[in-house]
Amino acid sequence: MTYRYSRIVGTGSILPPRIVTNQQLVAELGSRGIETSDEWIVERTGIRQRHIADEGVTSSRLATEAGRRALDAARLDPSDIDLIIVATSTPDFVFPSTACLVQKELGAAGGAAFDVQAVCTGFVYAFSVADSMIRSGLAHRALVVGAEVFSRILDWNDRGTCVLFGDGAGAVVLAGSDEPGLLAAKLHADGRHESILRTAGNVCHGEITGHPYLTMDGQAVFKLAVSVLDSVARETLAEAHLPIEAVDWMIPHQANVRILNATARRLHIPLSRVVVTVDSHANTSAASIPLALDQAVRDGRIRAGHNVLMEGVGGGFTWGAVLVRF
Ligand code: UT7
């Protein structure tokens, strides 16, 4: 059986309970001689706090809990799912995939399970792949998760990056339907920019080779992000034959409130229609969009019939957008 569309039938998310405020982080870094301030972080990024996973809490654990909550919201059992895709850049292992670990924990054996690696665009990539697989008949109901423990790949001596990120997971259940659904999707990458944002480490002959911490040319990423979030939004709306005014909610990747503001301004979308979580979650990479989505669904902002534009951008360099009718 094939379907014309896939629809979101449930959302879920989880944040680790430990909150680290800017003040706490500034004090901790200061005790090690690293100078930063709450004013700098808030003014340059909009971030006020982040959630940090305790040692031993893995991406698969966060992904499993977010997935469970999305399945509960969809009133489905794990056995109803025949596809699990986890977008993550902080997998538990080199292999097996985080998705296979989630499948085991949920008790959803039998269907396909794999990870997608597109860094902060990972959820948008994973969502589009799941939609294509449902429409082609390869799957009927999919769990799509973005899960990260970025705190593990941060260099806590690099003030230019360690203040920016947090941990968490968000998930959606997608089901085949003849009603829309995902209206349009656009995915892009330009590997020529691979060096501006990366964690260039690996395991080789039993040792870590390269640099196992995140490095970033912040200004280069900032400029590219603002430009591609604008262009990919227009491209995706054109594909759906819809004007910008048809967007009820925009959920850009939550990296920096200045990037969100600039994107909204360029697209002439009022800030009141942009979901913003970067202030309280910081940048959770592939988890940021589904975390924000779940928050806006659960607090009643996103309702049946709304058009939601989700946009990702990040390392690779990768970017993409999906336009979804609820
Ligand atoms: O998820 C993937 C997508 N990632 C992003 O989208 C991140 C994009 N980039 C950004 O958000 C911004 O570029 C940053 C927030 C990373 C940096 O903001 P900026 O306005 O571009 O600052 P900058 O890198 O130009 O640095 C300005 C100054 C520098 O000092 P000097 O050279 O002017 O003396 C930095 O050393 O701010 C300094 N600085 C800090 N000062 C206090 C850098 N980090 C800090 C810090 N506290 N934590």
Side-chain angles (χ1 to χ4, degrees):
M1 172 150 186
T2 56
Y3 301 96
R4 281 191 65 201
Y5 296 100
S6 73
R7 283 182 74 84
I8 293 178
V9 295
T11 66
S13 64
I14 179 151
L15 289 158
R18 182 153 62 98
I19 291 174
V20 178
T21 64
N22 285 352
Q23 287 84 355
Q24 288 167 322
L25 187 55
V26 168
E28 206 278 314
L29 292 173
S31 72
R32 292 191 284 111
I34 299 159
E35 242 184 77
T36 183
S37 66
D38 176 46
E39 294 72 34
W40 190 94
I41 302 170
V42 172
E43 191 192 312
R44 302 292 178 119
T45 72
I47 295 166
R48 293 179 184 277
Q49 62 171 48
R50 70 283 296 137
H51 291 249
I52 301 290
D54 287 337
E55 284 309 315
V57 174
T58 57
S59 285
S60 73
R61 197 146 129 202
L62 296 174
T64 301
E65 190 49 39
R68 214 172 256 137
R69 291 177 186 190
L71 284 165
D72 285 349
R75 295 187 215 287
L76 290 172
D77 286 325
S79 58
D80 296 320
I81 295 295
D82 55 6
L83 169 65
I84 298 177
I85 309 181
V86 176
T88 186
S89 297
T90 47
D92 294 21
F93 305 128
V94 173
F95 68 82
S97 69
T98 309
C100 283
L101 303 177
V102 170
Q103 192 206 47
K104 180 182 97 172
E105 285 306 312
L106 287 175
F114 58 93
D115 289 359
V116 158
Q117 163 59 287
V119 201
C120 306
T121 319
F123 180 76
V124 169
Y125 267 59
F127 193 102
S128 309
V129 171
D131 170 74
S132 301
M133 289 179 69
I134 288 172
R135 283 188 295 108
S136 73
L138 260 175
H140 296 88
R141 293 199 193 93
L143 181 64
V144 182
V145 192
E148 302 282 13
V149 283
F150 252 55
S151 59
R152 307 274 159 76
I153 55 167
L154 297 177
D155 177 355
W156 291 97
N157 293 313
D158 175 12
R159 69 176 183 172
T161 54
C162 75
V163 302
L164 304 175
F165 295 90
D167 302 332
V172 300
V173 178
L174 276 182
S177 167
D178 289 325
E179 303 290 320
L182 183 143
L183 304 174
K186 287 284 171 191
L187 304 178
H188 295 285
D190 186 346
R192 289 172 300 179
H193 299 295
E194 57 87 14
S195 64
I196 62 174
L197 177 53
R198 62 181 179 172
T199 302
N202 204 339
V203 179
C204 185
H205 302 306
E207 312 251 322
I208 293 169
T209 59
H211 187 69
Y213 293 115
L214 181 149
T215 56
M216 177 168 72
D217 176 345
Q219 288 196 1
V221 173
F222 192 104
K223 280 185 203 141
L224 263 175
V226 171
S227 156
V228 300
L229 287 173
D230 177 47
S231 60
V232 80
R234 293 179 193 278
E235 227 187 310
T236 309
L237 284 159
E239 173 89 6
H241 305 291
L242 285 173
I244 282 170
E245 299 74 52
V247 175
D248 295 293
W249 292 101
M250 182 165 76
I251 309 183
H253 168 51
Q254 308 282 317
N256 185 323
V257 80
R258 290 190 291 139
I259 295 178
L260 304 192
N261 290 346
T263 304
R265 203 166 44 239
R266 285 170 77 134
L267 290 169
H268 303 290
I269 292 182
L271 277 176
S272 56
R273 288 202 266 132
V274 181
V275 180
V276 179
T277 55
V278 67
D279 53 335
S280 54
H281 299 174
N283 181 346
T284 57
S285 191
S288 93
I289 293 173
L291 266 163
L293 173 70
D294 185 47
Q295 194 170 90
V297 167
R298 283 176 193 262
D299 68 21
R301 274 177 288 173
I302 294 176
R303 296 193 303 275
H306 279 174
N307 293 323
V308 180
L309 180 66
M310 296 182 264
E311 293 191 277
V313 58
F317 203 75
T318 55
W319 65 101
V322 288
L323 180 65
V324 180
R325 175 146 326 138
F326 267 75

